[in-house]
Amino acid sequence: MLFMGQDTNESVEPEAETGLPWLRTWNQVYLVVIIHFAIWIVLLVALTDFFS
Amino acid sequence: MSPLDFVVLIGSMLAIAAYGVWHTRGNRGLNTYLKGDSKTAWFAIGLSVMATQASAITFLSTPGQGYLDGLGFVQIYFGMPVALIIIAAVFLPIFRRLNVYTAYEYLGRRFDKKTRLLGAALFLVQRGLGAGLTIYAPSIVLATVFGWPLDLTIISSGLVVIVYTVMGGSSAVTVTQKYQLAVIFAGMVTAFCLVVVKLPAGLSFTDTFALAGRFQKLNAIDFSTDVHQRYTFWSGLLGGTFLMLAYFGTDQSQVQRYLGGASLREGRLGLMFNAICKIPMQFFILLLGVLIFVFYQFEQPPLFFNATLSHYLAAHPSDERLHNYETDYQSLHDQANRQLQDWLKARHDGDRAAAAAAFAGALTAHQEGEKIRAEAEKSLSQISSTTTATDADYVFITFILHQLPHGVIGLLVAAFFGAALSSKAAELNALGSSTTVDFYRPIIKRDATDQHSLAATKWFTAFWGVVAIAFALYAHLVENLIQAVNILGSIFYGVMLGLFVVAFFIRHVGGSAVFWSALVSQALIFFLYFTLPISYLWYPLIGSAACVILSIFLQGLFNLVGENGNRNTT
């Protein structure tokens, strides 16, 4: 039930490089995302506490 | 709206739609139509994912949420970074490795045909209804405010999006979304700047935040563990993760966006772009609403932002009771305004005691005014049966119309329509694709050529467009619009996610076990929705957990009685 152009061999795409200058592995990219999220949480908690 | 506003609105919308048609004029293949040309770069994927999620309701209704309830709504997005990381690390590589057109195709390969059809059916039902809401929600607000005929607004905006989505497919959606998002951001940034400019002259940045904070509008985080409370840190982080995992990982309207990436890298970076940008973006949209709240502490706001109610009030000048509400509300607002001027002066003089006393007076007057507004809204809603959206949906558009200059009004209305068209196009594109790939081709026309399937996809896309328009024409909403869309998704997403969690992570469970578990879990969610008053953010977590646990249990049972349940650990 495949369409033309659909690969039946389940071709394995190599674990792509991030291509980013400072973040060479995907785990580093994910870590940056989590740190960014944590910083936002801290800022929002500070905003809530400071002005309430 | 002035002629200038109409020029900006119609010019920008038609130009973007025409560009979408022109840009994709040479696309003839099924693969290109369903997935784009597979050359899409990460930035375009990131914008496309963002535009698909951010419907017109996001931009119309979210500032109203900020105005009424403050920043707390931002917590719903706390699950997004974790969810997008899981999708980028686990879901996306598998989808790409199997080279699927739809997410449900994967369920067919991993389990069996009936599970694939169930996953696709859940998607089609909830997204088909959601597409109706996506087009209805901005139309009801804009038509009511501008006095345009509602049916005409729904049909005309629906037809525009049907034309370019049917003609251009996935690439047209991605290409147009870039420019629609540019118009949206231009509009929102302009509105933000103008609200700041319009705040009273003596009110500094810190005064503004102090005032908003004193009215509890800056309470962005609530660590309460009360499950009945709709938006808390925990419901956002735990429930939100499941909601976002389900939406971005199993909803074809999103999966189709990142499957069109040139490589795994482009898809992953597009998702990470959203993981980084979404919370700040929603924060600033909510903050816009909070700033509008502060603005209206010094300017007289209307008794009702809801245009249906204010139109009723204007049309019945002899209704003394209702007009008394208006007079009382204005007088209380004047009283609060005077107290706030005193608060500001005392604050600048450093007189804390006087500032506290003045603010207490302002708060009392404000709360009395809110009581009057609630009473008036309640009694007017009983009289006028046509009330279909809450005040939150009208706050921003009312502010735009009464406070912003011509040209900017046209730009912002264009932003709302741009958002409506971009999310609607992605939904129609996904609905048409899934109907062909998951239902038509495997069940009805097994020997269909690619050319035939392409034609069928176009017809199905148009069909779903007409269904959405028809649903929008007959929709009557009782909840705040953005919440209605989220609630609808939450009811179905849990089970959809459960199917994929079992497929990805629980290798010994087969098709029959997961299929029956999904049906029982969906019935459970419907039961809970009607009987248990908990935040809707918990439904995806409950639905997926129920589906996973039941699947394991049922598979064990099948193993005991000797049935293998179509196990396939692809």
Side-chain angles (χ1 to χ4, degrees):
Chain A
M1 202 52 56
L2 299 172
F3 295 103
M4 274 178 67
Q6 221 175 348
D7 193 347
T8 54
N9 296 325
E10 299 179 5
S11 61
V12 180
E13 196 170 2
E15 181 75 0
E17 297 260 325
T18 65
L20 301 173
W22 306 107
L23 307 166
R24 302 229 176 255
T25 68
W26 285 107
N27 283 345
Q28 288 173 339
V29 174
Y30 301 147
L31 186 65
V32 166
V33 171
I34 293 294
I35 291 170
H36 173 267
F37 172 58
I39 290 171
W40 267 91
I41 296 294
V42 169
L43 288 175
L44 290 174
V45 169
L47 184 73
T48 304
D49 287 350
F50 191 76
F51 287 107
S52 63
Chain B
M1 293 220 311
S2 73
L4 175 64
D5 294 320
F6 276 107
V7 169
V8 173
L9 168 64
I10 295 171
S12 56
M13 287 302 95
L14 287 183
I16 292 171
Y19 178 72
V21 172
W22 176 80
H23 186 83
T24 54
R25 66 198 181 284
N27 294 350
R28 295 283 181 270
L30 180 68
N31 195 52
T32 311
Y33 190 85
L34 294 181
K35 289 209 260 186
D37 52 11
S38 293
K39 287 179 191 161
T40 316
W42 70 266
F43 191 61
I45 292 174
L47 291 181
S48 188
V49 166
M50 184 179 274
T52 300
Q53 187 192 21
S55 67
I57 308 162
T58 307
F59 299 101
L60 263 174
S61 186
T62 307
Q65 284 266 341
Y67 180 98
L68 293 176
D69 300 325
L71 299 177
F73 186 67
V74 76
Q75 294 169 112
I76 192 179
Y77 298 99
F78 284 178
M80 208 162 144
V82 175
L84 290 181
I85 287 173
I86 294 171
I87 292 164
V90 180
F91 288 36
L92 181 56
I94 295 177
F95 288 154
R96 286 193 71 90
R97 181 162 55 85
L98 296 179
N99 198 18
V100 292
Y101 284 114
T102 72
Y104 321 108
E105 224 181 320
Y106 165 69
L107 291 178
R109 296 206 200 173
R110 165 67 177 83
F111 297 119
D112 51 27
K113 191 194 266 184
K114 66 177 182 298
T115 310
R116 171 188 185 173
L117 294 181
L118 177 63
L122 288 173
F123 163 70
L124 292 180
V125 170
Q126 72 91 12
R127 187 47 62 193
L129 295 177
L133 283 181
T134 315
I135 200 162
Y136 170 79
S139 298
I140 178 78
V141 174
L142 296 172
T144 312
V145 170
F146 293 117
W148 299 341
L150 175 63
D151 293 355
L152 192 67
T153 311
I154 288 172
I155 292 169
S156 55
S157 56
L159 285 180
V160 169
V161 74
I162 287 174
V163 167
Y164 77 77
T165 311
V166 167
M167 290 179 78
S170 195
S171 344
V173 173
T174 307
V175 164
T176 49
Q177 279 180 328
K178 260 194 298 190
Y179 297 101
Q180 282 157 344
L181 212 54
V183 173
I184 292 165
F185 282 141
M188 296 305 282
V189 169
T190 307
F192 196 94
C193 295
L194 288 175
V195 178
V196 172
V197 168
K198 279 189 150 292
L199 288 171
L203 201 69
S204 69
F205 182 75
T206 47
D207 293 335
T208 304
F209 272 65
L211 185 59
R214 278 180 165 268
F215 277 108
Q216 310 296 314
K217 300 294 179 188
L218 297 180
N219 292 354
I221 306 244
D222 178 357
F223 286 106
S224 161
T225 50
D226 181 1
V227 291
H228 299 100
Q229 207 146 322
R230 193 163 263 185
Y231 305 118
T232 67
F233 176 81
W234 303 112
S235 71
L237 190 65
L238 298 175
T241 298
F242 280 80
L243 176 63
M244 299 300 169
L245 201 53
Y247 173 59
F248 287 100
T250 73
D251 189 309
Q252 180 61 18
S253 64
Q254 282 293 358
V255 174
Q256 199 157 3
R257 306 277 67 79
Y258 55 76
L259 280 185
S263 65
L264 181 61
R265 171 187 182 269
E266 308 302 322
R268 276 180 167 167
L269 286 180
L271 289 172
M272 291 306 99
F273 171 78
N274 279 271
I276 295 268
C277 292
K278 188 66 184 181
I279 292 175
M281 183 182 114
Q282 290 300 134
F283 170 80
F284 281 108
I285 296 175
L286 284 165
L287 187 62
L288 175 63
V290 172
L291 293 180
I292 292 173
F293 172 83
V294 173
F295 169 80
Y296 275 123
Q297 298 316 300
F298 298 93
E299 284 279 327
Q300 179 67 52
L303 177 59
F304 303 117
F305 286 99
N306 186 329
T308 316
L309 298 180
S310 58
H311 287 170
Y312 185 89
L313 200 63
H316 296 79
S318 57
D319 192 330
E320 209 170 283
R321 193 166 65 108
L322 288 176
H323 283 277
N324 283 344
Y325 281 134
E326 200 169 31
T327 316
D328 292 348
Y329 181 70
Q330 280 172 4
S331 129
L332 281 164
H333 185 272
D334 287 343
Q335 196 181 319
N337 189 0
R338 279 195 300 275
Q339 297 277 8
L340 285 178
Q341 299 287 0
D342 292 345
W343 167 81
L344 194 59
K345 187 173 179 308
R347 184 177 153 82
H348 288 177
D349 293 342
D351 187 346
R352 287 187 170 200
F359 184 79
L363 186 62
T364 307
H366 174 77
Q367 285 167 341
E368 288 297 315
E370 285 307 300
K371 269 188 209 161
I372 285 178
R373 218 161 67 85
E375 257 177 59
E377 194 172 338
K378 194 175 166 191
S379 53
L380 201 48
S381 297
Q382 285 163 356
I383 302 166
S384 167
S385 60
T386 54
T387 307
T388 50
T390 66
D391 237 21
D393 302 315
Y394 291 93
V395 168
F396 191 35
I397 190 75
T398 306
F399 173 80
I400 289 167
L401 282 181
H402 293 117
Q403 304 297 335
L404 300 189
H406 290 297
V408 175
I409 294 176
L411 178 68
L412 278 157
V413 177
F416 299 142
F417 271 104
L421 300 188
S422 64
S423 52
K424 179 103 178 76
E427 287 167 349
L428 291 187
N429 185 219
L431 286 165
S433 306
S434 179
T435 310
T436 305
V437 174
D438 296 311
F439 285 94
Y440 183 71
R441 176 87 181 244
I443 297 175
I444 297 168
K445 189 90 176 165
R446 296 175 66 90
D447 58 346
T449 61
D450 277 9
Q451 213 51 39
H452 180 90
S453 298
L454 175 62
T457 309
K458 290 186 175 185
W459 279 109
F460 285 128
T461 304
F463 165 78
W464 281 110
V466 173
V467 168
I469 289 174
F471 180 77
L473 288 174
Y474 292 100
H476 294 286
L477 301 182
V478 289
E479 275 264 19
N480 166 289
L481 296 171
I482 191 164
Q483 290 187 151
V485 172
N486 284 330
I487 290 169
L488 181 67
S490 298
I491 289 172
F492 290 96
Y493 278 145
V495 176
M496 284 168 72
L497 178 61
L499 287 171
F500 281 88
V501 168
V502 173
F504 286 133
F505 301 110
I506 307 174
R507 299 177 72 84
H508 74 279
V509 173
S512 294
V514 79
F515 176 81
W516 292 110
S517 303
L519 286 181
V520 172
S521 304
Q522 191 59 64
L524 173 73
I525 293 296
F526 279 127
F527 176 75
L528 289 179
Y529 176 71
F530 289 111
T531 57
L532 193 65
I534 57 170
S535 169
Y536 66 84
L537 286 174
W538 294 109
Y539 294 139
L541 193 157
I542 295 170
S544 56
C547 183
V548 170
I549 293 167
L550 266 175
S551 300
I552 296 169
F553 174 74
L554 269 185
Q555 186 60 52
L557 208 63
F558 288 161
N559 290 345
L560 272 181
V561 297
E563 148 126 31
N564 71 3
N566 305 326
R567 249 179 317 183
N568 177 1
T569 52
T570 300

